[in-house]
Amino acid sequence: MATINDKILAASAKHPQPGNVFQYGTAGFRMKADLLDSVVFRVGLLASLRSRKFGGQVIGVMITASHNPPEDNGVKLVDPFGEMLESSWEAYATRLANAKTDKELLAVYNKLEQDLDLGTNKTPKVIYARDTRASGSRLVGCLVDALEATGTEYTDYKLLTTPQLHYLVRCSNTKGTEYEYGDISEKGYYEKLANAFKLAVKHKKPQGPVTVDCANGVGGPKLRELIKYLDGTIDIRVVNDDVLKPENLNVSCGADYVKTNQRAPPSSKAGPLERCASLDGDADRIVYYFNGENDKFVLLDGDRIATLAASFLGELARQSGLAESLKIGVVQTAYANGAATQYVTSNLGLPVVCTATGVKHLHHAALQFDVGVYFEANGHGTVVFSHDAYKAINNHEPQSPAQANALETLKALSDLINQAVGDALSDLLLVEVILAHKGWSVKDWEDTYVDLPNRLVKVHVLLRSMFVTTDSERRLLEPAGLQATIDSLCGKYKAGRSFARASGTEDAVRVYAEAATRGEADDLAQKVANAVSRATPA
Ligand code: NG1
Ligand code: ZN
């Protein structure tokens, strides 16, 4: 009878390594889809090991390339509690992906089996899903070959948003425990969100419609499904939801298009001051925007969602009598606009923590608070409630009808907000609840503070690894002398702030600058970019 090793060798022969060097980065593996067969097969092997490491708990595999163009694809693992894969395992994924031959791959796999102290012999379990890309079903075939070869039990959830898969992983592993999260089904996800939304808005029906651009991705059909459960409590208009033509995915629409180009999708027909939102291709990011005075485009990005959420959660904590027991904080990266940081500390009186780029860093830091609000400026984020926060919210005896009312809303929000990962559909409903409660238009939301003019510049460099940062990527240790140059440039501009860091996803150094005026921000960014270029070999 063929052993598991024989089966792995035979299956791997169907998916030869193309000779490329791969790296599991912050977003898993992501590249042109036709390079990914061996990578996805090998991620399947790792998912099986990861499940064995956790005594047969369910591990998730998501096949998506998020906001990338249609011809790309990608794959990432979801850990048992619905979080992103633990960092130390990223290196194992990279090791497996780069084994050149089937034999070498088997050797790496067997070595990991030995080194990882896998404990019990429980059957490994994996669940997986994909976005709407044409290459998705082929890559699922590669994944299944690995799961079959390793004797892993698996369930195919077909098309899902990334956060839906995270939800299902968390539900699967918490069922019957004190952390039980929800029913292990797509329907369970919609019911959880819709019920929480209806409880949270109560009689404060959102005013007017919100138009949601779904990037022609999986968020479209899933949002339409969610709407069925909302019983008309909100008018959501779905646009750019054509998933039958996968070549349209993320093309001239979606959150990344809107954030990068600082404009609405050309197809947008929204009138002045109408609420609009855009999701990305796998619906884990969302940004809001509207046409302001004189047709001026106004973006309400992740910073704005974070400040809005923090302000409302702070109010609810005070109104429900829980201000003392709930430590609320906001986590940002260095890319957060300085005005947003200032607003949180001065106006809201809440602490702000800055972390390195990448949502896993933000998520981790947010867990240090009872209620941790975190968003990247690009719109990926959520609010995490600690176990103690859930206890406090659920056990608190309200002292007045007003307290009871606020407590009910807070409870509903702790159900509405995806605890595993940033979720565009959950974030959409969160923003809608808050605007409805405050009776705010998008203009009122914008008016909370004025963003400092800022500029992001990309400098292509040969060796990005020579840029070594400290202080949550806000300061450079190397190349020697460059930080002093940046400091001295910043000092010449009113409210000047700038930093340079190596991108984790491209061969480039990103320079961010902000200052009191548009011209000064542009000028500062350009000068720092020039200094970065000068500091690198041509
Ligand atoms: P890098 O390339 O490391 O700057 C970019 C985004 C991150 C995050 C990752 C994808 C900026 C400045 N950076 O990272 O926010 O979305 O891609 O995981 O937008
Ligand atoms: Zn995404």
Side-chain angles (χ1 to χ4, degrees):
M1 220 179 77
T3 62
I4 286 186
N5 281 354
D6 297 336
K7 288 183 189 167
I8 291 175
L9 277 178
S12 173
K14 288 164 62 186
H15 310 294
Q17 215 270 11
N20 296 56
V21 178
F22 300 108
Q23 195 182 356
Y24 194 104
T26 40
F29 294 107
R30 202 182 282 186
M31 68 208 70
K32 292 277 164 282
D34 50 13
L35 288 173
L36 270 169
D37 292 40
S38 67
V39 173
V40 173
F41 174 78
R42 292 154 185 226
V43 166
L45 298 181
L46 190 70
S48 176
L49 290 175
R50 187 82 181 139
S51 175
R52 283 166 63 189
K53 176 76 188 170
F54 285 96
Q57 284 202 311
V58 171
I59 295 295
V61 179
M62 184 70 200
I63 297 180
T64 176
S66 187
H67 59 273
N68 282 39
E71 62 276 16
D72 288 10
N73 214 327
V75 59
K76 49 190 172 189
L77 287 182
V78 181
D79 260 359
F81 221 50
E83 333 84 302
M84 275 163 279
L85 177 68
E86 186 193 300
S87 310
S88 62
W89 278 59
E90 293 178 0
Y92 308 149
T94 302
R95 222 181 281 167
L96 285 165
N98 289 325
K100 289 192 188 57
T101 62
D102 304 332
K103 280 216 176 97
E104 200 182 304
L105 171 65
L106 186 62
V108 174
Y109 178 83
N110 290 153
K111 178 90 170 63
L112 284 174
E113 270 188 311
Q114 257 175 32
D115 294 351
L116 288 173
D117 186 19
L118 297 174
T120 61
N121 268 337
K122 288 256 179 65
T123 307
K125 292 188 206 69
V126 167
I127 66 175
Y128 60 85
R130 59 187 166 89
D131 70 15
T132 52
R133 285 161 205 272
S135 56
S137 51
R138 188 192 81 238
L139 293 173
V140 158
C142 305
L143 175 67
V144 167
D145 282 345
L147 302 177
E148 294 271 355
T150 49
T152 304
E153 257 178 37
Y154 57 87
T155 308
D156 180 358
Y157 278 94
K158 308 268 167 44
L159 297 182
L160 288 182
T161 69
T162 294
Q164 285 180 323
L165 184 72
H166 285 255
Y167 164 89
L168 290 170
V169 170
R170 189 169 174 128
C171 291
S172 304
N173 293 318
T174 53
K175 196 170 170 51
T177 73
E178 61 175 321
Y179 299 98
E180 190 152 315
Y181 194 59
D183 189 57
I184 315 169
S185 66
E186 194 181 333
K187 183 164 173 276
Y189 170 90
Y190 299 123
E191 281 171 350
K192 179 167 168 129
L193 259 62
N195 291 339
F197 177 78
K198 285 182 264 181
L199 270 176
V201 281
K202 284 183 221 133
H203 49 279
K204 312 227 161 132
K205 193 173 156 59
Q207 294 305 299
V210 53
T211 300
V212 184
D213 151 31
C214 298
N216 292 319
V218 67
K222 302 307 176 186
L223 176 56
R224 286 200 182 279
E225 200 54 32
L226 173 61
I227 289 170
K228 292 183 194 160
Y229 292 78
L230 291 167
D231 301 334
T233 42
I234 173 170
D235 181 3
I236 299 177
R237 304 197 175 161
V238 179
V239 297
N240 298 328
D241 64 333
D242 182 2
V243 293
L244 295 177
K245 295 198 199 80
E247 66 274 19
N248 288 346
L249 175 68
N250 297 321
V251 176
S252 296
C253 60
D256 201 60
Y257 175 90
V258 172
K259 171 79 183 159
T260 311
N261 296 287
Q262 302 270 319
R263 57 171 293 190
S267 60
S268 170
K269 296 188 181 62
L273 296 176
E274 273 183 27
R275 294 201 300 290
C276 299
S278 284
L279 319 180
D280 74 340
D282 62 340
D284 61 358
R285 274 166 65 176
I286 185 169
V287 292
Y288 267 71
Y289 50 94
F290 66 98
N291 284 325
E293 274 162 32
N294 305 322
D295 238 13
K296 187 183 132 223
F297 172 81
V298 181
L299 180 69
L300 297 156
D301 63 2
D303 291 349
R304 293 280 181 173
I305 299 175
T307 50
L308 183 74
S311 117
F312 190 56
L313 289 163
E315 279 165 26
L316 288 178
R318 275 192 300 279
Q319 290 164 0
S320 58
L322 283 169
E324 295 305 313
S325 24
L326 295 182
K327 188 161 176 268
I328 303 177
V330 175
V331 183
Q332 303 176 322
T333 70
Y335 292 104
N337 196 281
T341 313
Q342 175 77 23
Y343 174 78
V344 176
T345 50
S346 305
N347 295 57
L348 304 181
L350 296 174
V352 174
V353 169
C354 180
T355 73
T357 305
V359 275
K360 66 179 173 212
H361 300 296
L362 288 108
H363 189 94
H364 186 74
L367 292 172
Q368 309 306 311
F369 294 103
D370 293 313
V371 180
V373 180
Y374 76 86
F375 274 86
E376 283 197 311
N378 66 24
H380 188 143
T382 191
V383 181
V384 284
F385 291 78
S386 70
H387 196 48
D388 286 349
Y390 274 108
K391 270 203 216 142
I393 293 169
N394 288 313
N395 297 338
H396 182 59
E397 285 297 332
Q399 304 299 309
S400 66
Q403 280 202 357
N405 197 23
L407 188 66
E408 201 176 77
T409 310
L410 191 56
K411 232 183 235 176
L413 290 186
S414 71
D415 269 338
L416 175 63
I417 302 171
N418 194 322
Q419 293 301 292
V421 74
D423 180 339
L425 299 184
S426 156
D427 291 337
L428 169 77
L429 296 182
L430 170 65
V431 169
E432 291 299 315
V433 167
I434 301 175
L435 294 180
H437 268 266
K438 287 181 178 271
W440 276 7
S441 68
V442 269
K443 179 81 176 75
D444 297 321
W445 181 8
E446 185 209 2
D447 285 345
T448 46
Y449 61 86
V450 181
D451 271 322
L452 281 169
N454 60 90
R455 180 66 64 202
L456 190 58
V457 183
K458 197 156 71 176
V459 185
H460 287 282
V461 295
L462 283 179
L463 209 60
R464 62 178 146 139
S465 57
M466 61 185 281
F467 289 79
V468 181
T469 59
T470 180
D471 190 21
S472 301
E473 305 181 327
R474 287 175 290 194
R475 299 186 65 77
L476 281 167
L477 294 171
E478 289 172 30
L482 183 52
Q483 187 57 49
T485 308
I486 297 176
D487 288 343
S488 116
L489 286 168
C490 287
K492 296 186 177 137
Y493 297 85
K494 187 163 175 231
R497 178 172 77 94
S498 180
F499 64 93
R501 60 171 273 279
S503 159
T505 59
E506 297 180 67
D507 279 323
V509 166
R510 294 193 204 284
V511 170
Y512 175 89
E514 63 186 30
T517 63
R518 165 90 279 144
E520 286 174 297
D522 288 351
D523 202 38
L524 177 57
Q526 202 45 58
K527 292 214 164 90
V528 174
N530 293 344
V532 166
S533 296
R534 279 197 305 273
T536 59

